[in-house]
Every structure is written in C-alpha cells, then in structure tokens.
Amino acid sequence: MMLSIVVPCFNEEACLEVLHRRLSATAKAAAGADYELVLVNDGSRDRSWEIMQRLAASDPHLVAVNLSRNHGHQLALTAGLDLCRGDKILVIDADLQDPPELLPKMLEAMRENEAEVVYGVRKSRRGETAFKRATAHGFYRLLSRATEIDIPLDTGDFRLVSRRALDALLAMPEQARFIRGMVAWIGFKQLPFPYDRDERFAGETKYPLRKMVGFALDALTSFSSAPLKLASHAGLILSLGSLLLIAYIAYAWLAGESIQGWTSLMLVVVVLGAIQMFVLALMGEYIGRLYNEAKRRPLYIVQEIAGGEARDGRLGYVAEATAKSDRPGGKGKRATR
C-alpha cells in the first residue's frame, strides 16, 4: 500500500520545515518507505517554493508542485490529488492545525471499518476567534439545511481517502470546487473521526472574511438550488402582497377615501427594486458559473515539478520543461476531460 500526503501551500515558509519533519515521521511510522509527500505551491509570494525545492532535493519521497499562479486553496488541493499516486491519500493543510500524527489511527479506523473515507470532525478549535467559530458553526448548519446531500457538520478538508474514492472524486471536473461537499456527494462508506484542532503553527490565516464569504457562496451554489428557490418564494409572496394592495386601493377608491402616501409608495418601489436586484444577482451567479464551466479550461496549470517522476493530470495542464526554454513551441500535457 502506497501512502500519499497532499498539502496545498500558500505563503507557508514559516511552517514548511516543521511540516516536512512531522509529515515524514508520521508517514514512515504508518507506511514504512512506501509513501510520498505532495506539496503544492499555490503561487506563494514568499520563499515557499525555494524551500520546497531544497526539501525535494534532499528527500526522494517529496514531490513539490509549483502552480503557474495563485489558483486558490480548493484548486491547489485538486492539483495535488490529481497528481498523487497513493492507494491511501491523506489531505492536510500546511498550517499544522490538523495534527498529522493522527494518521495511524485514521488508517486503523479505515481498515477496521472497511471505510473508503475517514474525515476529521472538529471537537474544538483552539486559537480561533469567537467570531470565526460562530460563523463556521452557522455556515455548516445552513449548508446542511440548504443542500440536497448530507454534508457532515464541523468538518474541513482534513481526511483520509482511498484510491477508489479519489478516482470517483477526480471524475468530477467542475470549476467551482467545494471538495468536502464533493467527497460527501460521491458516497461510499465514510467514517467520522473526532479530534481537537490545534492552533496555527505560524503565519496568518489564508481565509479572511472576504474569502470565507466567497467560499460559502461556492458551497451553496455548487450543491444547492435553494437560493433560486428562495427567489421564487420571494416573488410569490410579493405577488400575493400586490394583490392585497390592489384590493385595498380598490376599496379605498369605492369608499371615496383619499389615499395619501408618497412616502409609502416610494418605500414599496424601493423594496421591490431591491428584491428584484437581489434575485437578478442570484441568477447572475448561477449563469456566471455555467459560463465558466462551458469554457472547459483546465482547472490548474503546473509550471514545474521538483522531485519524483513526470506526472500526468486528468483535470489540469502540466507544462513540460521545454516550455521554459528559449526555443518557441513549449509543450505540455492537456487534461483529458
């Protein structure tokens, strides 16, 4: 059994040395010499890629993948999953909030329960603000109510998956990726693994409020049509309200009462206009995603790979070395989708 550990990295120079040491020790304890570490540099602006290259040169088990630009966490993770070769694959972030030392117990739980996926469930979240804990708590419960599939509560991307489950995941080529939801969608036997999440080892969070909102929107629109249904329900309620308003106006006219209300009229116009714009924005969000899918671009582009052998990706474009030379006509390997 070959083990792969996939780690997306963005500006993680302060964590990489310790990350490599802890991952290597854990992988050796779990799989002996039959393992690989796949670190994906997602367009870092610090020395992350330089450190990855140095580590790859000294460790034959390490494969460092350098993406051509910052693609975002979910696509960087997709690149690592697409290029790894293990029979069992551990997904973990570079900040070491998810302890890699839990891997042997996760492998044992997968083997004993004949599960295809073992996903981490956060019992506690040390080092996070009350605002982030509260918003995360609300987000997972809103997502659980809005989606048509059962996405486990309080889970991240920290999980162990089998090759069979990963192959099913890689058969899903959509651009807007919410991987923890996609893993839930593929089915198979999936086992929760409760654990206490540690504080970030070093550096700053890569998910400020703006990215958290975008991530939540990706999750909702990728796995639920509830926002569109909300728009239709709002339209129905407003239509009924309009009928009641028309009935009231007719009654007042027949009774000879003067209807005053420039202010109330403007209030109704503004409210209706705001709701219409909101509905149009929701429709535009879905249409924009359809537009991105229709272009069928590769999900990621690999600039170079340090360590390991040449690799092919199903979902991305892997540029060959000749693409960096002075000669024109650089080659690469396009995803087969």
Side-chain angles (χ1 to χ4, degrees), residues 5 37 69 93 101 159 170 173-174 216 268 298 310 316:
I5 301 180
L37 310 179
R69 62 172 178 83
D93 287 336
E101 290 77 14
R159 63 193 63 222
L170 295 178
E174 55 256 44
V268 171

Side-chain angles (χ1 to χ4, degrees), residues 259-268:
I259 302 176
Q260 301 178 3
W262 181 89
T263 302
S264 59
L265 176 62
M266 289 298 101
L267 176 62
V268 171

Side-chain angles (χ1 to χ4, degrees), residues 188-256:
F188 300 120
K189 185 173 183 179
Q190 304 198 15
L191 185 71
F193 186 87
Y195 73 104
D196 294 308
R197 200 173 196 222
D198 294 335
E199 296 184 35
R200 165 176 271 275
F201 176 77
E204 300 178 351
T205 179
K206 305 307 184 295
Y207 268 96
L209 180 60
R210 175 180 59 82
K211 287 190 175 182
M212 287 173 60
V213 171
F215 187 59
L217 187 60
D218 280 343
L220 284 172
T221 54
S222 295
F223 287 91
S224 175
S225 59
L228 291 178
K229 293 177 182 177
L230 175 64
S232 64
H233 293 163
L236 178 61
I237 292 172
L238 288 173
S239 298
L240 293 175
S242 299
L243 292 176
L244 293 175
L245 183 60
I246 291 172
Y248 169 72
I249 292 173
Y251 168 78
W253 180 76
L254 292 173

Side-chain angles (χ1 to χ4, degrees), residues 142-178:
L142 172 63
L143 187 64
S144 177
R145 288 180 175 273
T147 57
E148 291 85 3
I149 61 173
D150 185 18
I151 299 178
L153 301 177
D154 302 317
T155 62
D157 291 317
F158 181 49
R159 63 193 63 222
L160 179 69
V161 300
S162 68
R163 170 52 61 176
R164 182 164 72 151
L166 179 58
D167 286 342
L169 177 66
L170 295 178
M172 304 165 66
E174 55 256 44
Q175 295 275 342
R177 302 180 77 78
F178 180 60

